[in-house]
């Protein structure tokens, strides 16, 4: 029997609209979700974006009195964390959205909740992906890697084996992270960087090899 669940997307910006495409692709294989709208504080309520309405503010999610799935259509780790901590409604669930063409081993891959895994990702074996992680288009995640909650990877990031990514890490498009190292909490890696040594927490690192250029709180 068909079991179609309602889903809404937080954020109707570029990535939010791409998350809508991701859900369309999931549905094209087997209809799983009815997209009922976006929640976006910066867009007029009722306005249609790519045929889907803005339902209201993020705060209004806490008044929903029916079962609703929510997907995060934003990629900045600290914003994701803030949004999730503002939702305290037990009617809300956060499914993992995994594009049907993602290649993912069944050998010891753990995936938490609320993760967005876009088209073209390849995830091999013995991998732990915690919660609210964003893997944008065409990333690779190698063996024995841990990605902690809220971290985000822009398109075409390659993560080699035995890497530990702490919470709230942001990795820019095309960056490469070589094997057997860690990236500290809240660190930002610039587009195109090659991370060849572990990076500390709370820094922005760029270049080849990636070096911290600034530290932040
Ligand atoms: C690393 C990054 C976050 C830095 O942003 P920022 O904190 O605003 O820093 P600035 O733009 O002020 O740049 C600081 C310095 O680093 C350099 N720099 C910035 N990004 C760089 C990068 N990716 N590689 C090499 N150098 C970089 C700048 O040229 C500047 O150098 P200067 O001081 O000699 O002029 C940003 O440039 C970046 O790469 N973001 C990723 C974007 C991305 O992947 N988007 C995907 C969307 S889907």
């Amino acid at each position: 029997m068909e079991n179609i669940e309602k889903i809404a997307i937080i954020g109707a910006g570029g990535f939010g609209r791409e998350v809508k495409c991701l859900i369309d692709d999931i549905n094209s294989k087997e209809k799983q979700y009815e997209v009922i709208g976006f929640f976006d504080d910066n867009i007029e309520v009722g306005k249609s974006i790519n045929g889907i309405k803005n339902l209201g503010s993020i705060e209004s999610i806490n008044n929903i009195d029916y079962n609703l799935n929510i997907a995060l259509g934003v990629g900045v780790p600290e914003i994701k964390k803030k949004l999730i901590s503002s939702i305290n409604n037990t009617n809300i669930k956060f499914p993992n959205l995994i594009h049907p063409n993602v290649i993912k081993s069944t050998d010891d891959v753990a995936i938490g909740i609320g993760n967005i895994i876009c088209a073209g990702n390849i995830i091999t074996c013995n991998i732990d992906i915690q919660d609210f992680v964003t893997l944008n288009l065409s990333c690779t995640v190698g063996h024995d890697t841990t990605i902690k909650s809220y971290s985000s990877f822009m398109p075409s990031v390659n993560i080699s084996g035995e890497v530990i990514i702490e919470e709230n890490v942001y990795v820019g498009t095309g960056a490469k992270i070589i094997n057997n190292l860690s990236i500290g909490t809240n660190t930002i890696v610039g587009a195109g960087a090659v991370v060849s040594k572990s990076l500390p927490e709370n820094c922005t690192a760029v270049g080849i090899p990636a070096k911290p250029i600034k530290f932040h709180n």
Side-chain angles (χ1 to χ4, degrees), residues 96-123:
N96 292 314
L97 296 179
I98 302 177
H99 193 279
N101 78 4
V102 167
I103 297 174
K104 180 170 71 64
S105 157
T106 49
D107 292 342
D108 193 22
V109 176
I111 299 190
I113 60 163
N115 297 291
I116 309 280
I117 305 182
C118 299
N121 275 272
I122 301 176
I123 298 165

Side-chain angles (χ1 to χ4, degrees), residues 14-108:
F15 189 59
R17 283 176 276 123
E18 289 184 339
V19 169
K20 156 72 169 50
C21 300
L22 164 61
I23 298 167
D24 289 344
D25 288 346
I26 291 170
N27 280 339
S28 71
K29 206 167 177 227
E30 186 190 341
K31 177 113 178 155
Q32 288 186 45
Y33 296 110
E34 177 199 356
V35 182
I36 65 161
F38 291 102
F39 287 97
D40 193 314
D41 288 347
N42 300 314
I43 293 175
E44 196 188 319
V45 178
K47 186 176 171 177
S48 177
I49 305 108
N50 290 356
I52 302 292
K53 282 196 171 138
N54 183 32
L55 301 173
S57 65
I58 311 296
E59 211 183 330
S60 67
I61 294 172
N62 284 327
N63 302 327
I64 291 202
D65 59 0
Y66 52 90
N67 290 335
L68 180 64
N69 292 291
I70 290 277
L72 280 178
V74 292
V76 177
E78 63 174 303
I79 297 179
K80 291 196 288 184
K81 191 168 186 176
K82 210 166 148 191
L83 287 168
I84 293 304
S85 65
S86 75
I87 297 171
N88 54 19
N89 181 344
T90 53
N91 292 315
I92 304 300
K93 299 280 176 289
F94 301 99
N96 292 314
L97 296 179
I98 302 177
H99 193 279
N101 78 4
V102 167
I103 297 174
K104 180 170 71 64
S105 157
T106 49
D107 292 342
D108 193 22

Side-chain angles (χ1 to χ4, degrees), residues 15 18 136 154-155 170-174 188-193 204-208 213-214:
F15 189 59
E18 289 184 339
N136 208 314
M154 296 305 106
Y170 177 97
V171 182
T173 188
I188 297 168
V189 176
T204 296
V206 300
I208 303 174
I213 53 165
K214 50 180 134 174

